[in-house]
Amino acid sequence: MSNSILLLLTGDIKSLDSILQEQIYNQFYRLIYPKVMYIVKDHAAAEDIIHDTFINIIRKCPHHVEETRLTPWLHTVARNATISYLRKNKKKRDELLSDDVYIENAVPLMSRSASSIESEIEAKAMKEAIIHYIHQLKPIYRQVLHMRWVEQLSYKEMADRLGVTEEKIRQTLFRSRAAVKRKLEDDWKVNEP
């Protein structure tokens, strides 16, 4: 993280040089834009949210945020601003289908009865994380997951194609799912009370 974005913690942005102010805003924009855009899927709305979020951070910046926690804090503030925006503009929001999420029943928030916007946004973020976790798996694990979920092959078809036994396919599929689930539990604290 650049030192200029750390100047957000000072709470005195107005006294800085205009070039430095612009640099801080541009860094903030580059940091936050992908997350906001992923949620709203509308460039103009994302820019409005980012602008409003930046102004609110300048006005209400807590000076006790640690330097190491600044980026997660900024992401949280932007996510909350995005949720508020979506609440105000319910007509424009995209609905998330739970069928889009690869691991069914991983957490209750991915159920079809997800009624709140927060749950939908969390489910979208979780889906993105699961896809990321799958890409980090061993090639054979990725391959069997793809064959099972995308190509929808049976265990026998998968075994024939790979030249292994059906039991080996079951075992590999189990291990690949377990690896994704373990990563999901670690990063998302899924099983914590």
Side-chain angles (χ1 to χ4, degrees):
M1 177 185 338
S2 173
N3 290 336
S4 59
I5 203 162
L6 293 174
L7 293 173
L8 281 173
L9 294 176
T10 66
D12 194 18
I13 302 292
K14 296 172 191 167
S15 66
L16 299 175
D17 179 17
S18 63
I19 295 171
L20 188 55
Q21 288 177 2
E22 188 174 338
Q23 183 181 3
I24 293 169
Y25 179 79
N26 289 337
Q27 282 186 313
F28 177 78
Y29 182 91
R30 285 192 304 274
L31 180 70
I32 300 301
Y33 180 81
K35 302 268 184 209
V36 174
M37 186 61 179
Y38 177 77
I39 295 170
V40 296
K41 297 184 181 2
D42 178 7
H43 176 72
E47 287 198 338
D48 288 345
I49 293 167
I50 291 168
H51 177 72
D52 293 344
T53 303
F54 187 77
I55 298 298
N56 286 336
I57 286 172
I58 290 171
R59 287 184 187 152
K60 303 174 185 176
C61 182
H63 302 293
H64 64 276
V65 176
E66 297 174 25
E67 183 178 325
T68 58
R69 299 291 306 150
L70 180 61
T71 301
W73 179 75
L74 293 173
H75 282 263
T76 301
V77 171
R79 183 183 65 104
N80 291 343
T82 305
I83 290 169
S84 295
Y85 172 85
L86 290 174
R87 280 190 185 125
K88 292 175 187 171
N89 299 294
K90 282 186 178 182
K91 291 179 261 179
K92 295 181 182 179
R93 78 173 196 246
D94 293 330
E95 295 295 324
L96 172 74
L97 301 175
S98 62
D99 294 338
D100 290 343
V101 181
Y102 288 138
I103 297 180
E104 296 173 10
N105 303 322
V107 288
L109 63 87
M110 291 193 307
S111 68
R112 289 192 186 273
S113 63
S115 59
S116 69
I117 293 172
E118 291 93 344
S119 295
E120 292 175 25
I121 291 170
E122 288 291 327
K124 283 182 181 182
M126 188 175 288
K127 176 188 172 193
E128 186 176 83
I130 290 169
I131 291 169
H132 177 73
Y133 301 151
I134 289 171
H135 289 301
Q136 292 178 336
L137 293 174
K138 294 179 184 178
I140 187 66
Y141 288 1
R142 285 195 310 264
Q143 186 177 12
V144 295
L145 287 175
H146 183 271
M147 292 169 79
R148 184 68 179 165
W149 289 337
V150 176
E151 297 179 37
Q152 297 183 344
L153 298 178
S154 69
Y155 290 160
K156 180 167 179 16
E157 292 169 325
M158 292 165 61
D160 290 344
R161 187 184 285 183
L162 294 175
V164 296
T165 64
E166 286 184 52
E167 184 56 36
K168 177 67 175 168
I169 294 295
R170 281 188 192 87
Q171 183 183 57
T172 306
L173 214 68
F174 175 81
R175 288 179 179 169
S176 60
R177 281 190 223 128
V180 171
K181 183 179 178 184
R182 196 170 35 254
K183 192 76 167 129
L184 187 68
E185 289 170 350
D186 290 346
D187 291 354
W188 288 78
K189 311 293 187 235
V190 172
N191 288 333
E192 287 186 358

